[in-house]
Structure formats: structure tokens, C-alpha cells
Amino acid sequence: MARVSSDDLGTESIGRLLIKQAVPASIGILVMSLNILVDTIFVGNWIGSIAIAAINVVLPVSFFIAALGMAIGIGGSSIISRALGADNKAKALKTFGNQITLTLLVTITMVGFGLYFADGLIPAFGGKGAIFKPAKIYYTIVLYGVPFLALCMMGNTVIRAEGKPKFAMIAMIIPSVGNLLMDYVFIYIFDWGMEGAAWATTGGYLLCFGYIFYFFLSRNSELKIKSVDFGLDLPILKEIGSLGFVTLSRQAVTSVTYLLMNNILFDLGGESMVAVYAIIGRMLMFALFPVFGVTQGFLPIAGYNYGAQKFKRVKESINTAIMYAAIVATVVFIGLMVFPAEITGLFLSSRSDMSPDELASNIFVLENTPSAMRWVFAATPIIAIQLIGAAYFQAVGKAVPALLLTLTRQGFFFIPLILILPNYLGELGVWLSFPIADTLSTIVTGYFLRQEVKTSLRTGDTI
């Protein structure tokens, strides 16, 4: 693989650069999303719909702890991108060392708390009734691997900040493929059930960590830190914290959303309704992978050029990223509107050894998921503005607007909607909350992004 320099972020054409950054990011996210998707299909077909619901209950807890690593990674990577753009490599190295130390300290502590309070957390996130036992099995095993996942998520953002998207892509592909292979062996061949699904997931985290550890030791990385860089530096920690808090807040709100959704849907339709949301949640992760890929590719470009004070390139990167993301979001929208029943059918089967209750649950999920999926993705074509807009403020180090815009969709609009609408519209109110929140947050983000371009990126052009 040819070596790539971070200097390319400030010289190559924006369109070509965004493709070079976004395509590997999209492929990596695609493989990771496929991993989650196929993992859910395996669990649904080989264990059952209750197992899908159990995994959905565990995800917000484990992902929140792992998101601590992502928050530290994105916060620090914004600093690294701007430091490299300003030719301040010493600050980039110190920032990376602090990211590693902070990730280890925070995630190991959180895992300890998560294991100690497991019996209270699982029911709080919707793990009630028949869901509790398989959820606890999965939760306990997966949590042991979460610190490695956090380090992977942190390290992956740093690889992108260096301008090495292909290596970041490989880091996402390796654990996904490994997880699927282990799923087949542990669930299908060894018949370990939920334990097998959990160990396959944890094994994937370890594979990812091994590759990222290798990358930073190899000649491919520009960031060769020394022991002194691991010592915590208060100004850098504050900057990491202010920017990383944006990502952490987003994941915290996401976890609260899972908590509310699982409980609201359990009250409306029991375990089967939670399984409907679990399938839709997997599609939210999978179907939008190219949009998220464009967003990931945009971050280092905007951060580097902002640090280098090349504001015309920053503005061009915003316009190009929104255009690319909107095109792929529209394609995704069309596919989901046309084939929701076929997509749902991939997740479940009617095995001869199923109990009547399991069979009834599967039938319920197959009948109710397609219409819900159409509502959830109804506003997909316009979400590019919201995603790129919030990402811009984070990339250039403007923590407060980044935080507020990141929280707009779920915190300010979606959560109030799901607390109000189901009281009048039942389960339809839950699904309608998605497109309404998407539309309102896009309008708000579009307004503030336009104002930012007019005032801070004065190049004589208009957005």
C-alpha cells in the first residue's frame, strides 16, 4: 500500500480528496454494518427473535462505554488534524499519547461500574420478561471486550486524522469478518447460543485492537509517540474534553433513546415490538453507511484546511460533502421504500423446532416491521445537511455549536416526540417521531451552517 502524507489534505482537489477519504470510510462502515446486520440475521435465524431483542437491550450500555473512546478519539483527532495542518507535530504527538491514557482510564472504570450494576441496568434498558436472561449472558461477556473496542474507535479516528483512510478501512473490516466467522463457529457449529454470539463479538474487538496496535508501531504512521507523551496534559485534556463531549453527548442521548424506545415499545407490544425496533435499528446502522462514510471523510479535510487557514477549501469541502451525501441518501431512501418486506424477511425464519410463542413472535415482527421502516426512513434524503453541518463545527474545534447541533435531532426533538405522540397515536406515534425530528433538525442545522459560512469563511462566495 502506497504511503500517504497528511499534506495531501491541503493540496489535492476537494472532490477527488473527498472521494479518496469517503470511499474507504464508507467501505469500512459498510463492512462493520454488514457485520452487525448479518450477526443479527444469524442470531434471529439460529436463536430467535427474543435473542435479537436481548442484543438490542445491551447495545446502548456497551456502545456508550465504547463511545467514550470514540469521543476521546474524535476530540483529539480534531486537534491532531489542525496541528498537522499548522505544522505543529509536537502537539499532535502529545495529543495522541493523552488520548490513549485517557481512554484506558475512563473505559476500564466504566466497565467496572457496568458489571457491578448489571442487574439494574439491563431491565432499565428494556431487558424485561423473557429478554432478561439472554440479555445478561450477552451483556456480561461483551462488556469485557469493550475497553478494546474503545481503543479501536479512538485509534481509528486518529488514523483518519493522519490522512490514512485505507488503513482505517482495514481496521474496520478485520473485526467484522472475524466476528462473522466466529458467529458461524460458535453459534451454528458449537451451538453456544447467546454465549457464542457474545464471544464472537468480543473476539472481533480483539482482532481490531491487534491491527490498530500494529499500524501505530509500523512505518505507516507519522505519530511515533514516546513515553513522555502518555503523561496527561491539562490544556490538551480540556480541548479533547470539550470537543469529545460532543460525540459523548450524542451517544449518551442515543443510549437514553434506546432506553425510552425499548420501554415504550415493550409497553405497547411486548418483546415482539422491541424486536421490530431492533431490526429497524440495524437498518439505521447499515443503510446509511455511505452517508456516514462521506461525513467521516469530510472531517479530516475540513479540520486540516481550517488549521492551515485555507478557508476557501473548507467551504468547498462543505458544499461537496453535502452534495455527495444527499445523492447517496436518496438512493438509500428509494431502496428502503421499495423493499421493506424483503429486508425484514432476511432477519427471521420459521424453524420446525420453534415453540408456538416463538413462532407467533416471528410472525408479528414480519408483519409489523415493513410499515414502521417506511416511516422511520421517510426523511432520509434531507439528512445530509444535518450530519455534515454538525460535523463541520466539530472538525474546526467549535465545541458549543457542534454540541448543540449534534443534540438537536435526538435531544431537542426526537425524545420529546416519542414521549408525547404515542399517547395519542400508539406505536404509529413512535415511528412518526423519526421523520419529524429529522426534518426539524435539518432546518435548524442548515440555518446555523449558512450563518457560519457567511461570517467565518469569508471567501466572497455564497453557500
Side-chain angles (χ1 to χ4, degrees):
M1 186 177 294
R3 297 190 66 184
V4 181
S5 170
S6 59
D7 293 338
D8 293 341
L9 296 171
T11 57
E12 199 165 349
S13 72
I14 294 297
R16 185 181 301 171
L17 191 59
L18 187 59
I19 290 173
K20 285 176 65 175
Q21 291 285 328
V23 169
S26 297
I27 293 173
I29 295 170
L30 169 62
V31 175
M32 184 179 68
S33 302
L34 274 173
N35 167 41
I36 296 171
L37 194 70
V38 177
D39 183 56
T40 305
I41 291 172
F42 285 173
V43 169
N45 282 274
W46 295 338
I47 305 177
S49 60
I50 299 301
I52 294 178
I55 293 176
N56 199 56
V57 166
V58 173
L59 280 179
V61 181
S62 60
F63 271 24
F64 175 74
I65 299 173
L68 292 165
M70 177 177 281
I72 295 167
I74 291 179
S77 295
S78 174
I79 302 171
I80 291 172
S81 289
R82 285 178 284 123
L84 292 173
D87 199 26
N88 187 353
K89 195 166 184 178
K91 184 175 183 180
L93 293 171
K94 186 66 175 177
T95 300
F96 183 37
N98 275 231
Q99 287 177 287
I100 295 173
T101 303
L102 192 58
T103 300
L104 287 171
L105 289 174
V106 173
T107 57
I108 291 174
T109 301
M110 290 297 294
V111 166
F113 280 111
L115 291 171
Y116 184 78
F117 294 106
D119 288 344
L121 286 171
I122 293 171
F125 279 86
K128 305 170 185 175
I131 300 176
F132 177 80
K133 184 177 179 181
K136 185 173 182 181
I137 292 170
Y138 189 83
Y139 175 94
T140 302
I141 296 171
V142 166
L143 225 58
Y144 288 121
V146 165
F148 294 99
L149 174 61
L151 286 168
C152 293
M153 297 175 84
M154 182 276 293
N156 198 276
T157 62
V158 176
I159 295 173
R160 295 189 191 285
E162 286 195 61
K164 311 286 178 22
K166 291 183 180 179
F167 290 96
M169 174 188 72
I170 294 171
M172 299 174 77
I173 290 175
I174 289 175
S176 300
V177 174
N179 183 22
L180 295 180
L181 292 174
M182 286 184 276
D183 264 336
Y184 178 77
V185 173
F186 295 160
I187 302 175
Y188 186 75
I189 296 179
F190 291 172
D191 195 24
W192 287 358
M194 288 302 294
E195 290 94 339
W199 280 117
T201 300
T202 300
Y205 299 161
L206 293 172
L207 288 173
C208 182
F209 173 76
Y211 176 79
I212 288 179
F213 186 74
Y214 153 76
F215 170 82
F216 285 113
L217 290 180
S218 74
R219 67 185 183 90
N220 296 302
S221 175
E222 300 172 46
L223 300 176
K224 301 305 180 186
I225 55 177
K226 301 176 182 178
S227 58
V228 67
D229 294 321
F230 290 104
L232 297 178
D233 180 276
L234 187 57
I236 288 178
L237 288 179
K238 286 182 178 179
E239 195 170 358
I240 290 175
S242 64
L243 295 171
F245 188 68
V246 176
T247 299
L248 186 60
S249 298
R250 178 172 58 240
Q251 187 56 46
V253 173
T254 299
S255 294
V256 171
T257 300
Y258 268 93
L259 184 153
L260 293 172
M261 286 287 288
N262 286 335
N263 281 282
I264 290 170
L265 291 172
F266 186 89
D267 291 340
L268 289 171
E271 294 92 344
S272 299
M273 190 62 75
V274 176
V276 170
Y277 177 50
I279 291 174
I280 291 174
R282 297 305 178 279
M283 291 308 301
L284 283 167
M285 296 178 186
F286 170 73
L288 298 178
F289 78 88
V291 183
F292 296 143
V294 174
T295 305
Q296 289 292 315
F298 165 77
L299 282 166
I301 300 171
Y304 185 98
N305 286 284
Y306 192 88
Q309 298 188 10
K310 297 180 179 181
F311 297 139
K312 186 175 181 179
R313 286 177 61 82
V314 176
K315 186 175 178 181
E316 185 182 352
S317 71
I318 294 172
N319 292 330
T320 306
I322 289 175
M323 180 181 68
Y324 286 2
I327 291 171
V328 295
T330 301
V331 173
V332 168
F333 168 79
I334 294 171
L336 289 166
M337 294 301 107
V338 175
F339 301 111
E342 290 79 2
I343 293 169
T344 303
L346 296 172
F347 288 88
L348 297 170
S349 67
S350 300
R351 304 189 318 271
S352 58
D353 61 342
M354 276 187 173
S355 69
D357 288 343
E358 288 176 325
L359 183 59
S361 176
N362 280 14
I363 292 172
F364 179 92
V365 174
L366 289 168
E367 290 177 347
N368 286 272
T369 303
S371 61
M373 191 178 297
R374 283 195 173 103
W375 282 116
V376 168
F377 287 94
T380 298
I382 66 170
I383 64 171
I385 295 173
Q386 201 274 330
L387 292 173
I388 299 299
Y392 161 79
F393 288 100
Q394 194 166 13
V396 301
K398 298 189 176 184
V400 173
L403 173 63
L404 294 176
L405 292 176
T406 296
L407 296 180
T408 296
R409 180 190 177 275
Q410 289 186 309
F412 300 155
F413 295 128
F414 184 72
I415 289 178
L417 285 167
I418 61 171
L419 292 174
I420 296 170
L421 292 185
N423 295 323
Y424 301 97
L425 301 173
E427 66 185 71
L428 177 61
V430 175
W431 311 129
L432 282 174
S433 299
F434 284 87
I436 295 173
D438 284 333
T439 302
L440 293 175
S441 61
T442 296
I443 293 171
V444 171
T445 303
Y447 171 79
F448 282 103
L449 180 61
R450 187 179 182 87
Q451 293 301 113
E452 169 71 12
V453 170
K454 286 182 176 181
T455 57
S456 297
L457 303 177
R458 298 174 182 172
T459 63
D461 301 326
T462 56
I463 189 171

